[in-house]
Amino acid sequence: MNDYLPFLVIGVTVGSIYGIAAMGLVLTYKTSGVLNVGHGAVAAAAAVCFHQLRQEHGVPWPVAAAIAILGFGVVAGLLMEQLARSLAHVPTSSKLVATVGLVVAIPALVALLFGVSAKRFDPLLEQETAFTISGVNVTTENVVVVVFGLLSAVALYVFFNRSRLGRAMRGVVDDPDLLGLTGVGPARVRRMAWLIGCSFAAVSGILLASAQQQLDVTFLSLLVVQAFGAAAIGAFTNLPLAYAGGLAIGVLQAVLSKEASAHSWMQGLDVNTPFLVLFVVLLVLPRRKLVELGRAVRGTGRTRTAPPWQQVTGWSVVAIAALLAPRYWGVHQSSYTVAATQVLLFLSLVLLVRISGQISLCQVGFAAIGGAMVGQLLDQGLPWGLAVLGAALIAVPVGAVIAIPAIRLSGLYLGLATLGFGILLAQYAYTKDWFFGTQGQATRRPDGLAGDTAYYYLVLAFGIAAILAVAALERSRLGRLLRSMADSPIALATLGTSVNVTRTLVFCLSAALAALSGALGACVFGSVSADSYNYLNSLLILAVLSLAGRGTLSAAVIAPIISILPLVYIDGETPAQWLQLIFGVAAILSAVDLPTRISKLIARGAVDSEYRRGRGGPISGRTSEPTPTRPLVTTRSAP
């Protein structure tokens, strides 16, 4: 037992930080119905603020902590409350896109302002020993973190069950109008919840950076996944259980870390403990416990279709540009080829998000399977064509496994399950010999088509074939079923069609397309490694897809153009970070549908102006006749 004590001390400390982050996440979700994927990014930004004040400008750490937690937490809470209010009437997929935009934008903004390299983070307190347990030192900081977490859990429990504001927070999601009749403003309740939740995120970010003694914005941004695992144990609604879940994950992670040192096959499982817990809990928790909070707004599988002449013109321009690209690409031929492979990756996401109304945050993981397996099959002596086909087929059963949570989950929780799977695949499987290994995986192009131009046209042919196949599928019976499933799964089931089979089919097809993209991309440079398939790019491509228009096929072509080709002609990391920031901010604006909101406000203002002119409002100057209230207006049309 003494061998495990050092690991248990670390596990309880880190688990308390996970629990603190989870309580802030659950608090905001309970009151707004928005599960903030950007919770970790807020924590990372607060840690950066604290680091700058304390270590760069010499501010005493209590003052720096007060500014980073209270000041930054209040500002972040106010901004997040406004964002959550804008997301109240959009589908779950749009809520995810908006909060994913935070994960994309905040690290880019931090990198632009303060640099991208990881920095040393001095511990909050001196590493003095408070007491010892069987010879194991427990520092003052360990004690402070655990005590703070326990007191926070107890205080929030009492607050929610004994105070008037706490009870109001419990009811604001279910029926804000009814809450308003009691004299408590729903907006005020949500605002207070976001202030507290973002302050908890700031605390957890600073404490985790102190425990790691390193400021790494990407690492801290992923704190949200640890919080997801802890929140899942509390069914995303119970604050004390969320804190207990954080403790359990921290301890289990520490024990697995101890065992992994003696068993090579376990290496990587310790860092993936939160994702494993999240995935398992989502599979075993009763469905009645996984009902999404907030107003249900279902997305639709229908997409906007341009007039035929615009479609013909647009596709003709794209086809001519793609065919003539080798004449003008200069030294950037590989980037154009990679962009062509990305068409298939975005098509795989279009199948899920745009056509069937599903959510996936692990598409890059499927692409990684294709990239690794094509190298493995080529090593076994298979011809290039069979190796590429085999890599796509190997991903099909993996897609079927992902369909298991899709069968019983949807929307938000399906997104969390796929995110956990993608991170688990990256952090556990990528470095194994049967995947990429530590040295990467060698690949090659097909014989006779190994030249840059020849291989580009081969990849382009694959992309055209995939576009035609998805277009045919969209118009087939399966495509109609997928659109119907997006509109109303219950109605589809009443017609005798198995929704479970349909969901499994679409995930298998999507996995195969993504793997095919990864296999083709792996052969561009002659070798591939884990760095080629960063799991965070699964979030980025979802954000980019939201900006690529509302079509299905056209979005899959536009998305690679706007995400890859601009970097071809822009050198340096700074422009890339600016582009990432733009993608993140644009994803948020797209999710809240800002252009539509602005047009409605303009139209409403124009109609109100016209109404006042005709009925004696302030513009006409007639005040003898009272102006009716807005609810009496039954017909409005923009001029």
Side-chain angles (χ1 to χ4, degrees):
M1 186 62 186
N2 288 340
D3 294 338
Y4 285 92
L5 276 178
F7 294 91
L8 292 177
V9 170
I10 296 174
V12 171
T13 305
V14 175
S16 294
I17 299 174
Y18 294 166
I20 293 169
M23 287 190 293
L25 183 71
V26 170
L27 176 62
T28 53
Y29 179 50
K30 283 168 65 74
T31 54
S32 68
V34 177
L35 192 59
N36 183 18
V37 178
H39 191 73
V42 174
V48 171
C49 177
F50 178 85
H51 179 272
Q52 288 293 315
L53 290 172
R54 183 194 185 191
Q55 294 181 220
E56 300 295 333
H57 299 286
V59 177
W61 80 261
V63 178
I67 295 174
I69 296 172
L70 299 179
F72 180 84
V74 167
V75 173
L78 292 175
L79 294 176
M80 288 301 304
E81 190 273 332
Q82 290 293 323
L83 176 60
R85 186 185 302 181
S86 301
L87 297 174
H89 303 287
V90 301
T92 300
S93 58
S94 296
K95 294 177 182 178
L96 276 177
V97 167
T99 54
V100 163
L102 293 174
V103 182
V104 174
I106 290 178
L109 180 61
V110 170
L112 287 169
L113 294 177
F114 307 111
V116 296
S117 59
K119 301 178 180 179
R120 174 176 171 76
F121 194 98
D122 294 338
L124 288 176
L125 302 174
E126 296 294 335
Q127 300 300 300
E128 299 177 350
T129 301
F131 56 88
T132 60
I133 304 176
S134 298
V136 176
N137 295 330
V138 179
T139 66
T140 304
E141 185 169 322
N142 295 144
V143 176
V144 169
V145 170
V146 174
V147 170
F148 178 82
L150 287 172
L151 291 178
S152 298
V154 173
L156 284 178
Y157 177 79
V158 174
F159 171 74
F160 263 89
N161 289 277
R162 300 295 177 86
S163 69
R164 185 166 183 255
L165 181 58
R167 290 191 294 269
M169 287 183 180
R170 296 169 60 185
V172 68
V173 173
D174 297 330
D175 198 333
D177 296 331
L178 181 61
L179 178 65
L181 294 178
T182 65
V184 180
R188 172 175 170 266
V189 173
R190 293 194 185 98
R191 189 177 301 115
M192 288 300 301
W194 278 105
L195 294 181
I196 298 173
C198 288
S199 296
F200 269 65
V203 170
S204 60
I206 294 171
L207 291 179
L208 187 59
S210 177
Q212 300 290 329
Q213 296 187 18
Q214 185 180 38
L215 178 61
D216 187 332
V217 175
T218 301
F219 172 77
L220 290 176
S221 296
L222 293 179
L223 173 63
V224 70
V225 183
Q226 281 87 338
F228 283 153
I233 294 177
F236 297 94
T237 56
N238 191 303
L239 288 167
L241 277 182
Y243 178 74
L247 286 176
I249 289 175
V251 171
L252 181 59
Q253 191 175 44
V255 172
L256 287 177
S257 177
K258 169 69 171 62
E259 293 297 322
S261 62
H263 303 86
S264 59
W265 66 270
M266 296 182 64
Q267 293 177 1
L269 287 180
D270 53 340
V271 295
N272 284 284
T273 302
F275 321 130
L276 291 172
V277 170
L278 172 65
F279 201 74
V280 171
V281 170
L282 290 177
L283 289 181
V284 302
L285 203 66
R287 295 185 66 177
R288 67 179 184 277
K289 298 286 188 179
L290 295 175
V291 177
E292 292 186 34
L293 301 180
R295 183 172 300 180
V297 181
R298 180 167 294 280
T300 176
R302 300 185 180 91
T303 52
R304 183 175 297 174
T305 302
W309 69 270
Q310 290 185 7
Q311 296 186 46
V312 172
T313 302
W315 284 112
S316 299
V317 170
V318 170
I320 293 172
L323 291 174
L324 296 180
R327 286 177 170 263
Y328 306 103
W329 63 21
V331 298
H332 306 294
Q333 64 270 14
S334 58
S335 298
Y336 280 82
T337 307
V338 169
T341 66
Q342 294 291 295
V343 172
L344 285 83
L345 181 62
F346 281 100
L347 278 175
S348 72
L349 193 59
V350 160
L351 271 177
L352 293 173
V353 177
R354 294 291 176 87
I355 298 179
S356 65
Q358 305 298 300
I359 297 175
S360 173
L361 298 178
C362 65
Q363 292 304 104
V364 171
F366 290 135
I369 292 174
M373 292 304 106
V374 73
Q376 295 284 351
L377 294 175
L378 287 172
D379 283 347
Q380 299 301 318
L382 265 68
W384 186 88
L386 290 179
V388 170
L389 178 61
L393 293 177
I394 289 173
V396 170
V398 182
V401 171
I402 295 300
I404 294 175
I407 289 173
R408 66 188 305 270
L409 303 174
S410 62
L412 169 66
Y413 300 114
L414 176 59
L416 298 184
T418 55
L419 175 62
F421 175 80
I423 298 177
L424 171 64
L425 185 68
Q427 295 192 349
Y428 177 72
Y430 277 10
T431 57
K432 298 295 186 291
D433 291 336
W434 46 269
F435 218 86
F436 293 118
T438 57
Q439 303 298 322
Q441 183 68 48
T443 61
R444 61 176 176 82
R445 299 177 184 179
D447 296 335
L449 296 173
D452 291 332
T453 302
Y455 188 69
Y456 165 78
Y457 282 122
L458 176 63
V459 173
L460 189 62
F462 271 97
I464 294 172
I467 290 173
L468 295 176
V470 173
L473 183 146
E474 192 177 10
R475 290 166 174 78
S476 67
R477 182 175 183 272
L478 178 58
R480 293 192 294 271
L481 292 177
L482 294 178
R483 291 194 299 273
S484 300
M485 184 174 66
D487 290 335
S488 178
I490 297 177
L492 183 63
T494 59
L495 297 176
T497 301
S498 174
V499 176
N500 294 342
V501 172
T502 306
R503 281 177 175 159
T504 303
L505 280 175
V506 71
F507 264 94
C508 290
L509 289 173
S510 176
L513 265 179
L516 183 59
S517 170
L520 294 172
C523 298
V524 173
F525 300 102
S527 64
V528 68
S529 66
D531 295 335
S532 305
Y533 302 96
N534 190 329
Y535 56 86
L536 291 177
N537 288 339
S538 292
L539 305 180
L540 181 59
I541 64 172
L542 180 64
V544 172
L545 184 64
S546 68
L547 311 179
R550 298 192 178 184
T552 50
L553 304 179
S554 60
V557 176
I558 294 172
I561 294 175
I562 64 176
S563 62
I564 294 178
L565 294 187
L567 297 176
V568 172
Y569 301 100
I570 300 176
D571 295 327
E573 292 185 352
T574 299
Q577 290 155 5
W578 273 109
L579 190 63
Q580 181 177 330
L581 176 62
I582 292 171
F583 284 151
V585 173
I588 297 172
L589 298 180
S590 172
V592 301
D593 203 3
L594 186 63
T596 301
R597 290 174 180 269
I598 293 175
S599 64
K600 286 183 178 180
L601 288 175
I602 294 174
R604 180 180 298 176
V607 172
D608 288 346
S609 176
E610 184 68 23
Y611 173 77
R612 288 194 297 269
R613 287 192 183 97
R615 296 301 302 271
I619 294 179
S620 65
R622 293 184 296 159
T623 58
S624 59
E625 184 179 350
T627 302
T629 57
R630 184 171 296 174
L632 296 179
V633 181
T634 58
T635 303
R636 290 182 178 179
S637 59

PDB file of all heavy atoms in Angstrom, residues 502-518:
ATOM      1  N   THR A 502     -30.202   2.634 -39.325  1.00  0.00           N
ATOM      2  CA  THR A 502     -29.890   3.807 -40.138  1.00  0.00           C
ATOM      3  C   THR A 502     -28.715   4.577 -39.551  1.00  0.00           C
ATOM      4  O   THR A 502     -27.806   5.000 -40.270  1.00  0.00           O
ATOM      5  CB  THR A 502     -31.116   4.722 -40.232  1.00  0.00           C
ATOM      6  OG1 THR A 502     -32.238   3.965 -40.704  1.00  0.00           O
ATOM      7  CG2 THR A 502     -30.860   5.864 -41.198  1.00  0.00           C
ATOM      8  N   ARG A 503     -28.703   4.749 -38.237  1.00  0.00           N
ATOM      9  CA  ARG A 503     -27.596   5.463 -37.599  1.00  0.00           C
ATOM     10  C   ARG A 503     -26.295   4.682 -37.753  1.00  0.00           C
ATOM     11  O   ARG A 503     -25.234   5.264 -37.988  1.00  0.00           O
ATOM     12  CB  ARG A 503     -27.906   5.668 -36.115  1.00  0.00           C
ATOM     13  CG  ARG A 503     -28.863   6.818 -35.856  1.00  0.00           C
ATOM     14  CD  ARG A 503     -29.199   6.943 -34.396  1.00  0.00           C
ATOM     15  NE  ARG A 503     -30.035   8.129 -34.159  1.00  0.00           N
ATOM     16  CZ  ARG A 503     -30.799   8.292 -33.097  1.00  0.00           C
ATOM     17  NH1 ARG A 503     -30.854   7.365 -32.170  1.00  0.00           N
ATOM     18  NH2 ARG A 503     -31.504   9.393 -32.955  1.00  0.00           N
ATOM     19  N   THR A 504     -26.364   3.373 -37.622  1.00  0.00           N
ATOM     20  CA  THR A 504     -25.158   2.562 -37.783  1.00  0.00           C
ATOM     21  C   THR A 504     -24.608   2.675 -39.195  1.00  0.00           C
ATOM     22  O   THR A 504     -23.401   2.807 -39.406  1.00  0.00           O
ATOM     23  CB  THR A 504     -25.455   1.092 -37.445  1.00  0.00           C
ATOM     24  OG1 THR A 504     -25.976   1.006 -36.114  1.00  0.00           O
ATOM     25  CG2 THR A 504     -24.202   0.243 -37.548  1.00  0.00           C
ATOM     26  N   LEU A 505     -25.499   2.636 -40.183  1.00  0.00           N
ATOM     27  CA  LEU A 505     -25.067   2.737 -41.575  1.00  0.00           C
ATOM     28  C   LEU A 505     -24.363   4.064 -41.847  1.00  0.00           C
ATOM     29  O   LEU A 505     -23.309   4.101 -42.490  1.00  0.00           O
ATOM     30  CB  LEU A 505     -26.277   2.582 -42.505  1.00  0.00           C
ATOM     31  CG  LEU A 505     -26.772   1.169 -42.762  1.00  0.00           C
ATOM     32  CD1 LEU A 505     -28.039   1.193 -43.605  1.00  0.00           C
ATOM     33  CD2 LEU A 505     -25.697   0.345 -43.468  1.00  0.00           C
ATOM     34  N   VAL A 506     -24.939   5.166 -41.367  1.00  0.00           N
ATOM     35  CA  VAL A 506     -24.352   6.458 -41.681  1.00  0.00           C
ATOM     36  C   VAL A 506     -23.007   6.624 -40.983  1.00  0.00           C
ATOM     37  O   VAL A 506     -22.070   7.214 -41.558  1.00  0.00           O
ATOM     38  CB  VAL A 506     -25.329   7.605 -41.317  1.00  0.00           C
ATOM     39  CG1 VAL A 506     -25.476   7.773 -39.822  1.00  0.00           C
ATOM     40  CG2 VAL A 506     -24.857   8.922 -41.936  1.00  0.00           C
ATOM     41  N   PHE A 507     -22.850   6.082 -39.775  1.00  0.00           N
ATOM     42  CA  PHE A 507     -21.553   6.176 -39.111  1.00  0.00           C
ATOM     43  C   PHE A 507     -20.513   5.318 -39.817  1.00  0.00           C
ATOM     44  O   PHE A 507     -19.344   5.707 -39.919  1.00  0.00           O
ATOM     45  CB  PHE A 507     -21.678   5.771 -37.641  1.00  0.00           C
ATOM     46  CG  PHE A 507     -21.863   6.943 -36.720  1.00  0.00           C
ATOM     47  CD1 PHE A 507     -23.127   7.360 -36.350  1.00  0.00           C
ATOM     48  CD2 PHE A 507     -20.781   7.655 -36.245  1.00  0.00           C
ATOM     49  CE1 PHE A 507     -23.310   8.455 -35.511  1.00  0.00           C
ATOM     50  CE2 PHE A 507     -20.937   8.742 -35.407  1.00  0.00           C
ATOM     51  CZ  PHE A 507     -22.210   9.143 -35.038  1.00  0.00           C
ATOM     52  N   CYS A 508     -20.911   4.155 -40.313  1.00  0.00           N
ATOM     53  CA  CYS A 508     -19.965   3.304 -41.041  1.00  0.00           C
ATOM     54  C   CYS A 508     -19.531   3.959 -42.343  1.00  0.00           C
ATOM     55  O   CYS A 508     -18.335   3.952 -42.694  1.00  0.00           O
ATOM     56  CB  CYS A 508     -20.599   1.935 -41.322  1.00  0.00           C
ATOM     57  SG  CYS A 508     -20.830   0.917 -39.850  1.00  0.00           S
ATOM     58  N   LEU A 509     -20.479   4.536 -43.077  1.00  0.00           N
ATOM     59  CA  LEU A 509     -20.138   5.226 -44.324  1.00  0.00           C
ATOM     60  C   LEU A 509     -19.241   6.431 -44.051  1.00  0.00           C
ATOM     61  O   LEU A 509     -18.260   6.678 -44.773  1.00  0.00           O
ATOM     62  CB  LEU A 509     -21.416   5.671 -45.036  1.00  0.00           C
ATOM     63  CG  LEU A 509     -22.283   4.569 -45.655  1.00  0.00           C
ATOM     64  CD1 LEU A 509     -23.598   5.152 -46.161  1.00  0.00           C
ATOM     65  CD2 LEU A 509     -21.533   3.885 -46.787  1.00  0.00           C
ATOM     66  N   SER A 510     -19.557   7.184 -43.008  1.00  0.00           N
ATOM     67  CA  SER A 510     -18.752   8.350 -42.674  1.00  0.00           C
ATOM     68  C   SER A 510     -17.335   7.947 -42.275  1.00  0.00           C
ATOM     69  O   SER A 510     -16.360   8.587 -42.691  1.00  0.00           O
ATOM     70  CB  SER A 510     -19.424   9.116 -41.523  1.00  0.00           C
ATOM     71  OG  SER A 510     -18.636  10.204 -41.119  1.00  0.00           O
ATOM     72  N   ALA A 511     -17.209   6.876 -41.494  1.00  0.00           N
ATOM     73  CA  ALA A 511     -15.885   6.408 -41.088  1.00  0.00           C
ATOM     74  C   ALA A 511     -15.065   5.968 -42.294  1.00  0.00           C
ATOM     75  O   ALA A 511     -13.860   6.242 -42.379  1.00  0.00           O
ATOM     76  CB  ALA A 511     -16.016   5.263 -40.087  1.00  0.00           C
ATOM     77  N   ALA A 512     -15.698   5.275 -43.237  1.00  0.00           N
ATOM     78  CA  ALA A 512     -14.983   4.814 -44.432  1.00  0.00           C
ATOM     79  C   ALA A 512     -14.490   5.993 -45.267  1.00  0.00           C
ATOM     80  O   ALA A 512     -13.351   5.993 -45.758  1.00  0.00           O
ATOM     81  CB  ALA A 512     -15.892   3.910 -45.255  1.00  0.00           C
ATOM     82  N   LEU A 513     -15.325   7.013 -45.446  1.00  0.00           N
ATOM     83  CA  LEU A 513     -14.914   8.187 -46.225  1.00  0.00           C
ATOM     84  C   LEU A 513     -13.757   8.926 -45.549  1.00  0.00           C
ATOM     85  O   LEU A 513     -12.796   9.337 -46.206  1.00  0.00           O
ATOM     86  CB  LEU A 513     -16.098   9.138 -46.392  1.00  0.00           C
ATOM     87  CG  LEU A 513     -16.933   9.016 -47.665  1.00  0.00           C
ATOM     88  CD1 LEU A 513     -18.071  10.023 -47.644  1.00  0.00           C
ATOM     89  CD2 LEU A 513     -16.081   9.211 -48.900  1.00  0.00           C
ATOM     90  N   ALA A 514     -13.856   9.107 -44.227  1.00  0.00           N
ATOM     91  CA  ALA A 514     -12.784   9.790 -43.508  1.00  0.00           C
ATOM     92  C   ALA A 514     -11.482   8.998 -43.566  1.00  0.00           C
ATOM     93  O   ALA A 514     -10.393   9.562 -43.730  1.00  0.00           O
ATOM     94  CB  ALA A 514     -13.196  10.026 -42.053  1.00  0.00           C
ATOM     95  N   ALA A 515     -11.581   7.672 -43.433  1.00  0.00           N
ATOM     96  CA  ALA A 515     -10.385   6.830 -43.516  1.00  0.00           C
ATOM     97  C   ALA A 515      -9.778   6.878 -44.909  1.00  0.00           C
ATOM     98  O   ALA A 515      -8.548   6.871 -45.064  1.00  0.00           O
ATOM     99  CB  ALA A 515     -10.733   5.395 -43.133  1.00  0.00           C
ATOM    100  N   LEU A 516     -10.620   6.924 -45.941  1.00  0.00           N
ATOM    101  CA  LEU A 516     -10.116   7.033 -47.308  1.00  0.00           C
ATOM    102  C   LEU A 516      -9.359   8.354 -47.488  1.00  0.00           C
ATOM    103  O   LEU A 516      -8.301   8.393 -48.127  1.00  0.00           O
ATOM    104  CB  LEU A 516     -11.287   6.949 -48.289  1.00  0.00           C
ATOM    105  CG  LEU A 516     -10.943   6.970 -49.782  1.00  0.00           C
ATOM    106  CD1 LEU A 516     -10.021   5.809 -50.140  1.00  0.00           C
ATOM    107  CD2 LEU A 516     -12.210   6.923 -50.621  1.00  0.00           C
ATOM    108  N   SER A 517      -9.885   9.418 -46.907  1.00  0.00           N
ATOM    109  CA  SER A 517      -9.185  10.703 -46.944  1.00  0.00           C
ATOM    110  C   SER A 517      -7.832  10.604 -46.261  1.00  0.00           C
ATOM    111  O   SER A 517      -6.815  11.086 -46.783  1.00  0.00           O
ATOM    112  CB  SER A 517     -10.039  11.771 -46.257  1.00  0.00           C
ATOM    113  OG  SER A 517      -9.310  12.961 -46.059  1.00  0.00           O
ATOM    114  N   GLY A 518      -7.805   9.950 -45.079  1.00  0.00           N
ATOM    115  CA  GLY A 518      -6.549   9.802 -44.367  1.00  0.00           C
ATOM    116  C   GLY A 518      -5.543   8.951 -45.115  1.00  0.00           C
ATOM    117  O   GLY A 518      -4.336   9.244 -45.109  1.00  0.00           O
TER     118      GLY A 518
END
